[in-house]
Amino acid sequence: MDTRLLFQDPADFATPLLAVFAVNITTAAGKDAKPLPALLSASDALTKAASHFLTAGEFKAGSCETLLLHSPSGLKAERLLIIGLGKAADLSPDELRKGAGTAIRFAKPRSIREVAIVFPEDRALSDEALDELPPLLTARAIVEGACVGDYDPDTYRSERVDQSITAATILAPASAQKSAHADIERGFAEGRIFADAQLFTRILVNEPGNILTPLELGRRAKAELEPLGIQTEVFSTDKLHELKMGSFLGVAQGSENPPALIIMRYEPPKPPAANAPILGLVGKGITFDTGGISIKPADNMDKMKYDMAGAAAMMGAMRAIALLKPACSVISVVCSAENMPDGKAYKPGDVLTAMSGKTIEVINTDAEGRLVLADGLHYARQLGATHLIDAATLTGACVVALGMLNGGVFSNNEDTYSRFSTGMLTSGEKFWRMPCTSDYRDLIKSDIADIRNTGGSRWGGAITAAMFLKEFVGDTPWLHLDIAGVAWMEDNRPWIAKGPSGVAVRSIVEWVRSF
Ligand code: BES
Ligand code: ZN
Ligand code: ZN
């Protein structure tokens, strides 16, 4: 999809579909209060074209609610699509993202190939609502939302008709002041970078396990990131032995497809000071998780191709980092393997020795993600990482705890956590903090080794996994993102297709940019 930014009056723009946002404002107070939809546009022609329909009562401007008008009078557009963003007081960049995605996904099945979106203007908004929507973030959110909305995962259909939108144009106010003008342009450019990174992630997550093997994931990292200046190395079994990554190797040994250790490095344009932070991004890249000898039930096992979504998020983040050029060095370590049962597979009861020297009693071979990450986190520290973030589709327990709207976030450091939570305000992604304090340490006590890879009961499974990872980060400030419930959309939504969500890319990059 081609995205364009024009500073032009929307009434004069000829397009098959002009999309304009509306919010619900409340008139008067007390018992006379009446919800009323109001357009977010300063164009008189647009307001006039829509006014009758806004007062008719059939459209309430609820979140992602749409109203389509054909041949709107006084406009050059063939159709006017009014998109609700919910209550004015709750307006956020994320509502705009969803609204822009809704415009694109409205057009796609209707054979409309070009869409123009009106940059929201203040008329109907209170000052507080506007504070949440500075021009840069507004432009960014619209581009991100539009690009996210354009993706459909049906790439393997042999008679697939590509319904992608050819051009999405953002129509920004021609009257914008110089500073706003520059901010809108910057937000537009950044939005495209974030959107493309997220798209790269989603395409990887959608790939089936027979095609996207660990080494193929490594090839994709090289092919996509090296041209952008990210130094990328891909290692396999021999190197894992050399590094004594016994935990990672244990998981990989039951598969015909060899593992891949993917290292990606970004250096900022201006060489950083000797003591500057080096950020370590570690991803779980299980290209298929059968559960191994502790095999999973057949129902929904097909979904376990997305068990590499943490790795894909890191690769997407590295793509955005290469283009946004933040000020500090970043090293990403992806640990990729298949978790398979066969004659050589690791078994419950086995004891593995991790790269750090810690011994691990394997209770359940389906708790494999933490085993590959143990070596990945340790290695990232050895490569010099001063701050760590990992992302993993780690536990079903996290899905039980938080459902599919919030990912889980764990941290051992308040400053690092606060950088991350501030970034969420911009990224619009939702993560809920869960504990990993030392009083939970008993969960991973083993009778025969240093630690074991699962807890003794079903309770607190996401915390058990985090406590396990914590054993391998030492005193390095660290964030752990459990994205098991949010990396895959179970259903189609108005703004995004069912399938891979690309979650965590934006939040990881915001965290990196905070340094
Ligand atoms: N890949 C799964 C976690 C998962 C579950 C991801 C659902 C996405 C959706 C992970 O490797 C796993 O199997 N975890 C086990 C751990 C258990 C054996 C302690 C789980 O969550 O059941
Ligand atoms: Zn598993
Ligand atoms: Zn897994």
Side-chain angles (χ1 to χ4, degrees):
M1 183 171 81
D2 188 17
T3 41
R4 298 172 198 163
L5 173 67
L6 295 176
F7 291 82
Q8 193 180 323
D9 184 343
D12 295 335
F13 191 72
T15 172
L17 185 81
L18 182 67
V20 61
F21 299 120
V23 286
N24 208 315
I25 52 171
T26 305
T27 57
K31 66 175 173 42
D32 296 327
K34 222 173 103 190
L36 191 77
L39 274 201
L40 294 184
S41 167
S43 155
D44 288 332
L46 251 177
T47 313
K48 210 167 147 210
S51 64
H52 169 67
F53 302 92
L54 292 183
T55 49
E58 67 197 75
F59 177 76
K60 310 238 166 6
S63 178
C64 297
E65 188 184 344
T66 52
L67 178 72
L68 180 70
L69 314 178
H70 281 267
S71 316
S73 68
L75 307 183
K76 286 216 175 116
E78 290 165 40
R79 304 171 187 84
L80 180 66
L81 179 69
I82 309 176
I83 300 172
L85 300 180
K87 284 193 187 134
D90 299 340
L91 196 52
S92 67
D94 207 44
E95 267 311 318
L96 281 177
R97 239 179 238 113
K98 288 183 186 166
T102 302
I104 299 297
R105 295 199 69 71
F106 184 94
K108 282 191 84 172
R110 293 174 173 82
S111 303
I112 299 169
R113 294 286 159 261
E114 284 181 33
V115 175
I117 300 174
V118 180
F119 192 92
E121 279 197 275
D122 49 351
R123 232 183 224 191
L125 293 178
S126 66
D127 287 347
E128 300 90 80
L130 268 182
D131 284 348
E132 303 298 318
L133 289 183
L136 189 148
L137 272 189
T138 300
R140 201 186 122 178
I142 295 173
V143 180
E144 286 172 4
C147 294
V148 163
D150 194 41
Y151 172 77
D152 273 292
D154 57 345
T155 39
Y156 284 97
R157 275 212 184 110
S158 46
E159 285 171 28
R160 179 175 194 258
V161 184
D162 187 5
Q163 293 185 315
S164 296
I165 302 295
T166 52
T169 307
I170 296 177
L171 299 171
S175 61
Q177 307 215 312
K178 245 203 180 137
S179 66
H181 205 289
D183 280 355
I184 292 171
E185 277 173 342
R186 218 180 105 210
F188 176 82
E190 280 191 5
R192 189 68 221 209
I193 292 173
F194 276 94
D196 287 345
Q198 208 175 326
L199 185 64
F200 174 43
T201 297
R202 290 167 83 193
I203 290 172
L204 289 171
V205 174
N206 195 46
E207 291 289 35
N210 61 328
I211 290 176
L212 195 81
T213 58
L215 287 176
E216 176 60 17
L217 188 68
R219 280 190 283 274
R220 304 257 180 127
K222 256 188 185 290
E224 181 83 12
L225 300 174
E226 267 190 347
L228 302 178
I230 301 289
Q231 190 205 327
T232 309
E233 292 169 293
V234 183
F235 300 108
S236 194
T237 315
D238 290 350
K239 180 79 170 186
L240 301 199
H241 280 294
E242 192 188 302
L243 292 172
K244 300 196 164 58
M245 289 187 159
S247 189
F248 184 0
L249 274 166
V251 174
Q253 74 194 36
S255 169
E256 287 291 321
N257 286 311
L261 171 67
I262 308 168
I263 317 292
M264 297 158 275
R265 291 168 202 264
Y266 161 80
E267 285 302 332
K270 186 165 155 252
N275 59 352
I278 301 175
L279 309 181
L281 276 49
V282 181
K284 168 179 175 181
I286 300 297
T287 56
F288 196 80
D289 182 10
T290 64
I293 297 296
S294 317
I295 199 159
K296 287 182 181 292
D299 273 0
N300 287 323
M301 202 207 269
D302 56 296
K303 292 274 294 298
M304 280 301 114
K305 69 172 188 177
Y306 90 84
D307 213 17
M308 35 60 73
M314 294 311 175
M315 288 164 62
M318 289 308 278
R319 190 190 193 286
I321 288 165
L323 296 166
L324 293 167
K325 304 198 192 308
C328 62
S329 307
V330 183
I331 301 176
S332 178
V333 175
V334 158
C335 299
S336 184
E338 272 182 345
N339 187 21
M340 300 288 282
D342 93 340
K344 292 205 255 3
Y346 77 137
K347 306 173 290 298
D350 285 1
V351 173
L352 307 174
T353 304
M355 187 186 184
S356 73
K358 278 206 172 130
T359 55
I360 303 163
E361 183 187 8
V362 176
I363 304 297
N364 189 315
T365 63
D366 197 10
E368 84 298 338
R370 62 199 78 179
L371 294 173
V372 304
L373 289 173
D375 285 342
L377 289 163
H378 182 81
Y379 189 45
R381 287 180 79 205
Q382 215 181 61
L383 292 176
T386 59
H387 297 73
L388 291 166
I389 187 166
D390 74 69
T393 44
L394 206 59
T395 65
C398 193
V399 194
V400 173
L402 298 174
M404 292 178 157
L405 278 176
N406 276 271
V409 53
F410 301 77
S411 184
N412 62 354
N413 180 280
E414 295 314 305
D415 174 64
T416 284
Y417 176 72
S418 121
R419 286 170 186 274
F420 183 81
S421 64
T422 306
M424 278 196 277
L425 301 174
T426 310
S427 76
E429 294 178 329
K430 289 189 175 132
F431 287 90
W432 197 262
R433 190 170 185 183
M434 310 236 272
C436 57
T437 42
S438 55
D439 41 355
Y440 284 103
R441 174 68 171 59
D442 280 356
L443 288 169
I444 54 167
K445 262 193 184 161
S446 161
D447 291 335
I448 66 158
D450 295 337
I451 48 175
R452 62 183 182 187
N453 80 330
T454 65
S457 75
R458 297 198 296 128
W459 315 124
I463 300 171
T464 309
M467 290 308 292
F468 183 92
L469 298 181
K470 198 179 174 194
E471 292 290 307
F472 298 90
V473 301
D475 51 12
T476 306
W478 157 75
L479 287 158
H480 157 54
L481 309 180
D482 192 331
I483 56 171
V486 286
W488 193 269
M489 307 290 298
E490 290 287 332
D491 296 297
N492 282 310
R493 311 301 296 271
W495 66 93
I496 189 172
K498 175 178 173 175
S501 69
V503 76
V505 172
R506 298 200 303 257
S507 300
I508 294 163
V509 176
E510 288 306 336
W511 178 74
V512 168
R513 294 214 293 180
S514 79
F515 284 87

